[in-house]
């Protein structure tokens, strides 16, 4: 199977953000995406952003245009949210983002009326219905398809770092899971989801797709749901490992880290250097550790099995790659990763709110609603 990788400008940025719709009083999810999307159909066709539905009717997704910088793409997302609020505010619907909803139940949710979603549910049954998960996707332009899998294999070593920074699903259906990112482990239950197979060039990827299509596993490349994957239609590498970020500044920071890492490794390829790779079994362990412990995880950072606290390794990464961030024009957003390290990721803030409220998870939802509007709340804010 021959698959074209679209032409794309190097290190450009595209963002996708899955957002929950909730009742402002109860905090429970509401399946009102179809009516919101109908209300937004009159938007100008020349807008750079898009607003679309997702698997469940309790979700909308906002998508940026192609940004020549992180700030450019983030501005698109901000404009999309402003547009969405023009419909949700009058309708009495609140917005929030996290990897999971603290207490909503899967059996109360409705699947969007699209054939691809019905096909997914028919095949995956209980696990598919349990996909009450929300994430962000970061696309980075790659100018040569020959770079795609060397870059993916090197970036896989940083998926646990990104997963820890974005971890925001410590609760599931009213239960405190003990995981920073329960979403990470739920999502990988779907066929074709989870960590990427260790492929090394584009022809191997084409052979993989041919096998999957021939055996009825999928219809096309869009059904590859790896934590990091090629997006041939756009000419990008797409990082999908992250929970839904709870605030726009955090989305910008994680996007900047992804952009800088891609550019850093791309420059190494330009210099003829081999990129670092870890054995698949280390990636699997790292994913579990980041899901379980978040920013308190110790991760395996090289093929020799060296282990480092993820906070420490991220701090060193920020220091060493700061010049690349400045050159890409995302220095401010890149520096925001340090802010997450200092203030804690969303999972930690949610747990603190739940503890302060005596375990009341409605308080956690209200906290997430406030954060989505105003940015991260400090530990001294009243909840």
């Amino acid at each position: 199977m021959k698959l074209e990788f679209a032409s794309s400008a190097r290190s450009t940025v595209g963002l996708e953000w899955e957002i929950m719709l909730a009742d402002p009083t109860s905090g429970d999810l509401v399946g009102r995406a179809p009516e919101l999307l109908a209300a937004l159909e009159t938007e100008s066709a020349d807008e750079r952003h898009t607003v679309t539905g997702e698997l469940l009717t309790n979700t909308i997704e906002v998508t940026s245009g192609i940004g020549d910088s992180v700030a450019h793409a983030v501005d698109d997302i901000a404009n999309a949210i402003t547009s969405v609020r023009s419909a949700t505010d009058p309708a009495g619907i609140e917005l929030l983002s996290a990897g999971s909803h603290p207490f909503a139940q899967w059996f109360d949710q409705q699947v969007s009326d699209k054939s691809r979603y019905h096909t997914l549910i028919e095949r995956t049954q209980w696990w598919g219905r349990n996909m009450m998960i929300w994430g962000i996707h970061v696309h980075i332009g790659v100018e040569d398809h020959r770079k795609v899998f060397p870059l993916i294999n090197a970036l896989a070593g940083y998926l646990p770092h990104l997963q820890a920074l974005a971890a925001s699903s410590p609760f599931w259906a009213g239960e405190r899971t003990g995981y920073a990112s329960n979403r990470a482990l739920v999502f990988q239950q779907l066929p074709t989801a989870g960590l990427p197979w260790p492929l090394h060039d584009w022809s191997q990827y084409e052979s993989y797709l041919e096998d999957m299509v021939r055996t009825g596993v999928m219809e096309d490349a869009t059904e590859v749901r790896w934590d990091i994957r090629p997006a041939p239609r756009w000419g990008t590498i797409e990082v999908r490992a992250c929970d839904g970020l709870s605030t726009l500044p955090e989305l910008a920071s994680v996007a900047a880290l992804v952009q800088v890492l891609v550019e850093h490794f791309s420059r190494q390829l330009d210099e003829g250097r081999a990129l670092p790779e870890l054995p698949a079994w280390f990636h699997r362990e790292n994913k579990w550790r980041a899901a379980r412990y978040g920013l308190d995880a110790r991760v395996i950072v090289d093929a020799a099995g060296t282990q480092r606290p993820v906070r420490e390794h991220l701090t060193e990464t920020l220091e060493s790659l700061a010049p690349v961030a400045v050159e890409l024009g995302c220095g401010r957003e890149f520096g925001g990763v340090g802010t997450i390290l200092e203030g804690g990721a969303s999972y930690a803030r949610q747990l603190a709110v739940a503890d302060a409220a005596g375990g009341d998870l409605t308080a956690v939802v209200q906290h997430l609603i406030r954060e989505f509007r105003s940015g991260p709340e400090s530990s001294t804010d009243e909840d």
Side-chain angles (χ1 to χ4, degrees):
M1 174 183 291
K2 292 298 181 183
L3 183 67
E4 293 297 321
F5 187 74
S7 175
S8 180
R10 174 169 170 161
S11 292
T12 46
V13 183
L15 301 174
E16 303 172 48
W17 198 1
E18 296 168 351
I19 300 168
M20 293 179 243
L21 307 175
D23 179 271
T25 303
S26 70
D28 207 351
L29 294 170
V30 294
R32 298 177 65 182
E35 71 178 80
L36 293 176
L37 295 172
L40 293 168
E41 279 181 351
T42 58
E43 278 198 346
S44 172
D46 61 3
E47 293 284 5
R48 282 175 47 85
H49 65 262
T50 60
V51 182
T52 58
E54 260 293 333
L55 172 65
L56 300 175
T57 60
N58 58 36
T59 303
I60 58 167
E61 182 179 71
V62 293
T63 304
S64 76
I66 300 171
D68 53 18
S69 67
V70 170
H72 196 192
V74 169
D75 283 346
D76 289 346
I77 296 295
N79 290 335
I81 292 168
T82 298
S83 175
V84 170
R85 286 205 186 278
S86 72
T88 56
D89 285 353
I93 300 170
E94 278 292 357
L95 307 176
L96 65 149
S97 178
S100 64
H101 187 280
F103 61 80
Q105 300 290 337
W106 70 267
F107 45 77
D108 292 328
Q109 314 310 314
Q110 296 298 314
V111 176
S112 298
D113 190 17
K114 289 188 177 180
S115 59
R116 63 185 294 237
Y117 295 143
H118 291 304
T119 299
L120 174 66
I121 296 299
E122 172 58 29
R123 183 172 191 225
T124 58
Q125 292 294 303
W126 189 85
W127 275 115
R129 290 298 307 273
N130 264 278
M131 289 296 121
M132 290 208 322
I133 55 176
W134 293 264
I136 60 115
H137 303 161
V138 181
H139 290 259
I140 305 296
V142 178
E143 76 279 15
D144 187 337
H145 76 276
R146 291 172 296 183
K147 285 185 170 182
V148 169
F149 278 97
L151 288 172
I152 284 176
N153 293 333
L155 286 165
Y158 283 87
L159 289 180
H161 305 64
L162 294 163
Q163 188 178 302
L165 286 167
S168 60
S169 48
F171 302 103
W172 188 266
E175 297 287 337
R176 186 167 179 156
T177 66
Y179 284 79
S181 174
N182 198 57
R183 169 194 169 273
L185 303 184
V186 171
F187 190 33
Q188 69 182 12
Q189 303 307 315
L190 289 185
T192 78
L195 291 165
W197 294 106
L199 308 178
H200 290 92
D201 58 42
W202 194 252
S203 65
Q204 285 186 324
Y205 182 59
E206 290 175 326
S207 295
Y208 162 81
L209 288 176
E210 183 175 345
D211 287 346
M212 295 298 98
V213 171
R214 186 177 67 253
T215 56
V217 177
M218 64 178 70
E219 291 188 4
D220 56 46
T222 64
E223 295 184 33
V224 176
R225 299 183 176 96
W226 297 340
D227 295 342
I228 180 172
R229 70 178 183 182
R233 178 183 177 187
W234 308 113
T236 64
I237 286 174
E238 181 184 4
V239 173
R240 302 161 48 87
C242 297
D243 283 5
L245 273 302
S246 296
T247 71
L248 189 60
E250 290 172 311
L251 172 64
S253 296
V254 168
L257 178 56
V258 175
Q259 184 195 32
V260 168
L261 286 168
V262 172
E263 176 62 22
H264 166 66
F265 288 129
S266 190
R267 292 180 182 187
Q268 290 189 324
L269 287 175
D270 292 343
E271 295 167 2
R273 299 168 62 183
L275 300 187
E277 293 186 21
L278 300 184
W281 42 92
F282 285 170
H283 288 311
R284 184 181 180 89
E285 174 64 13
N286 276 345
K287 178 175 181 175
W288 185 87
R289 292 185 187 187
R292 171 65 177 88
Y293 301 108
L295 288 173
D296 291 325
R298 287 177 60 85
V299 294
I300 303 164
V301 298
D302 59 31
T306 305
Q307 301 178 66
R308 301 284 302 283
V310 72
R311 289 179 186 271
E312 183 180 287
H313 198 242
L314 270 169
T315 299
E316 291 179 5
T317 300
L318 294 178
E319 292 173 356
S320 65
L321 298 186
V324 179
V326 172
E327 291 175 35
L328 292 173
C330 66
R332 179 172 59 85
E333 295 86 357
F334 188 70
V337 175
T339 303
I340 300 174
L341 293 177
E342 293 170 8
S346 177
Y347 74 90
R349 302 195 299 271
Q350 291 180 53
L351 291 169
V353 169
D355 289 344
D360 180 6
L361 298 187
T362 303
V364 178
V365 176
Q366 296 300 331
H367 154 82
L368 288 167
I369 288 170
R370 290 194 301 273
E371 284 209 331
F372 194 82
R373 281 194 181 270
S374 306
E377 296 178 349
S378 72
S379 58
T380 58
D381 287 340
E382 293 185 1
D383 292 298

